[in-house]
Amino acid sequence: MQSLSNAFHNVLRMNFRQALRTKLMGGIFLGYCTTVALAERRDTLRKMIETKKIILVDGGLSSELQSQGNNIDSDPLWSARLLHSKPEAIVDAHKAYLKAGASVLTSASYQASLDGFKNHLGVDSEAAKELIMKSVDLARQAVKEYKRDTKSSKNIIVAGSVGPYGACLHDGSEYTGSYIDKVSESQLRDWHRPRIKALLVAGVDLLAIETIPSKVEAIAILNLLNEEFPQARAWVSFQCKDAKSTARGEPIDEAISATILYPQIVAVGINCCDPNIVGPVMRRMKKVVESTKSRAKLIAYPNTGEAWSSGEGWLGRKDNRCEDCLEWCNAGAHFVGGCCRIGPPDIARFRDTLKEMNMLWEDE
């Protein structure tokens, strides 16, 4: 019966891909596609949300790809380049995080966009959409191979990475939000729409709307989801310049208050920031969530405290103490992991620390 079900969904998915290529993907069709894609693993996501234990997310995909010898920091497509040139490296990176204990994988689509692929790979829009969908396929392939090799029955979900508009500019502006005043909400929605649509058609379990520097962009994306992709589920994590403000300088309390109003939200939080501000930010966010009686969970996956400089790379002090994850959890984080410069050994240390305290969720 299971094999019959899988075959049925494979046929459906081929039809979805054909619909994407022939531009037949209307709102009703996509809604059905999204419902089917999410239904198979909805129970796992529900368990993750309802458990009192901590869910371990993966670390920086680009960090592991770099450790494999792939020079991507200077590439305008960043890790998304390898979707086209070296997909097997992405599978290997995902598997490294699964072996380290992650229960959530994020796809290699953070810096993927139609314009980026067209400009830097010379492909057309349909091929660009297929590459974005491929990011989900590769994560699923990694899960399949990991389970086969380890004989594991662990339930794992895949989050489709939706990076900010600033990431495609390749100038570090996702850490400042300096572009926000130069683009309209309509422009932001138009830019994000194709990637979100492709990720959902590919069957991603939820969207990781991440490294968002401004409340303005978060709301633009969430309005898009609410109106065009109501079946989708997502977390939104902000890039913060300090314990009180988004990267653009808006009060983080206001950003969270606005974000948790949307029914698509599973979790809100912070990522790719200094680990030293995570605890204070989690406490502020927890107060906001509790005051509104929202069911949203909190998520935290910082970098190592180094700063990104366009043209120079990562600069400054590296700080990734494994005991930090306990502070984040005690401050309210439900999902924890790492972002840039946090690799599989760090995630494994987080796993061991949480396991020792009997705080780690392991659904097998």
Side-chain angles (χ1 to χ4, degrees), residues 246-352:
T246 65
R248 187 172 177 246
E250 304 139 330
I252 190 62
D253 311 61
E254 293 180 9
I256 295 302
S257 294
T259 302
I260 59 178
L261 296 175
Y262 290 82
Q264 289 78 21
I265 288 297
V266 167
V268 291
I270 185 172
N271 80 288
C272 211
C273 60
D274 189 321
N276 292 304
I277 70 170
V278 172
V281 171
M282 287 292 99
R283 286 187 281 272
R284 294 182 75 90
M285 289 184 175
K286 184 178 180 181
K287 287 181 181 179
V288 174
V289 170
E290 290 178 344
S291 69
T292 60
K293 295 182 170 58
S294 170
R295 294 183 179 180
K297 300 299 183 180
L298 298 183
I299 183 167
Y301 52 115
N303 56 39
T304 56
E306 296 161 276
W308 172 258
S309 174
S310 182
E312 296 183 83
W314 291 98
L315 306 172
R317 174 183 56 83
K318 184 175 181 179
D319 186 2
N320 57 332
R321 300 165 301 178
C322 60
E323 62 266 23
D324 286 346
C325 71
L326 292 178
E327 181 195 353
W328 310 336
C329 297
N330 290 333
H334 184 76
F335 295 86
V336 298
C339 201
C340 295
R341 313 287 278 179
I342 299 288
D346 303 304
I347 296 301
R349 286 194 290 270
F350 289 175
R351 174 201 62 201
D352 295 343

Side-chain angles (χ1 to χ4, degrees), residues 11-270:
V11 171
L12 284 175
R13 184 157 174 197
M14 284 190 289
N15 290 336
F16 298 156
R17 286 186 181 275
Q18 183 62 30
L20 179 63
R21 286 192 289 269
T22 55
K23 301 183 180 179
L24 295 177
M25 188 165 50
I28 294 176
F29 181 83
L30 180 63
Y32 178 65
C33 160
T34 304
T35 300
V36 171
L38 290 176
E40 295 177 344
R41 292 165 298 273
R42 189 177 294 275
D43 189 53
T44 297
L45 181 57
R46 177 189 60 78
K47 289 179 181 178
M48 287 183 173
I49 294 169
E50 292 179 354
T51 183
K52 299 295 184 183
K53 295 200 171 184
I54 305 302
I55 310 302
L56 190 60
V57 183
D58 60 9
L61 185 62
S62 65
S63 302
E64 177 58 15
L65 291 169
Q66 289 271 25
S67 74
Q68 295 175 4
N70 300 289
N71 184 18
I72 57 176
D73 271 354
S74 60
D75 195 309
L77 294 176
W78 205 34
S79 56
R81 166 79 65 179
L82 301 184
L83 291 169
H84 180 262
S85 65
K86 201 175 179 182
E88 67 277 7
I90 294 175
V91 174
D92 288 343
H94 283 316
K95 286 197 292 186
Y97 283 114
L98 292 174
K99 292 173 184 175
S103 295
V104 181
L105 292 180
T106 49
S107 65
S109 51
Y110 174 84
Q111 208 148 310
S113 68
L114 298 195
D115 289 344
F117 285 142
K118 287 190 287 186
N119 293 337
H120 301 291
L121 292 180
V123 301
D124 62 20
S125 293
E126 301 309 318
K129 292 173 187 176
E130 288 285 351
L131 282 171
I132 294 170
M133 296 171 77
K134 188 176 183 178
S135 71
V136 181
D137 293 339
L138 295 177
R140 294 269 182 244
Q141 181 181 337
V143 172
K144 181 178 179 180
E145 292 181 9
Y146 166 76
K147 288 188 172 183
R148 179 200 64 200
D149 296 343
T150 64
K151 304 296 188 290
S152 172
S153 60
K154 181 178 181 178
N155 288 310
I156 297 157
I157 64 171
V158 175
S161 178
V162 178
Y165 177 82
C168 79
L169 301 177
H170 195 56
D171 61 1
S173 57
E174 66 263 49
Y175 298 107
T176 65
S178 59
Y179 58 88
I180 291 295
D181 294 328
K182 302 172 186 176
V183 291
S184 66
E185 176 172 336
S186 177
Q187 288 174 304
L188 288 171
R189 288 168 61 141
D190 289 346
W191 186 82
H192 281 288
R193 182 182 292 109
R195 175 174 51 182
I196 288 173
K197 184 180 289 188
L199 289 170
L200 292 174
V201 169
V204 77
D205 298 314
L206 77 165
L207 299 170
I209 302 168
E210 55 184 353
T211 326
I212 304 299
S214 170
K215 177 181 74 172
V216 174
E217 186 165 14
I219 296 306
I221 298 171
L222 289 173
N223 282 338
L224 174 65
L225 292 189
N226 201 41
E227 294 172 20
E228 300 183 29
F229 311 106
Q231 302 280 357
R233 294 294 176 265
W235 80 58
V236 172
S237 55
F238 289 93
Q239 211 289 323
C240 291
K241 67 177 183 178
D242 55 42
K244 298 180 180 180
S245 310
T246 65
R248 187 172 177 246
E250 304 139 330
I252 190 62
D253 311 61
E254 293 180 9
I256 295 302
S257 294
T259 302
I260 59 178
L261 296 175
Y262 290 82
Q264 289 78 21
I265 288 297
V266 167
V268 291
I270 185 172

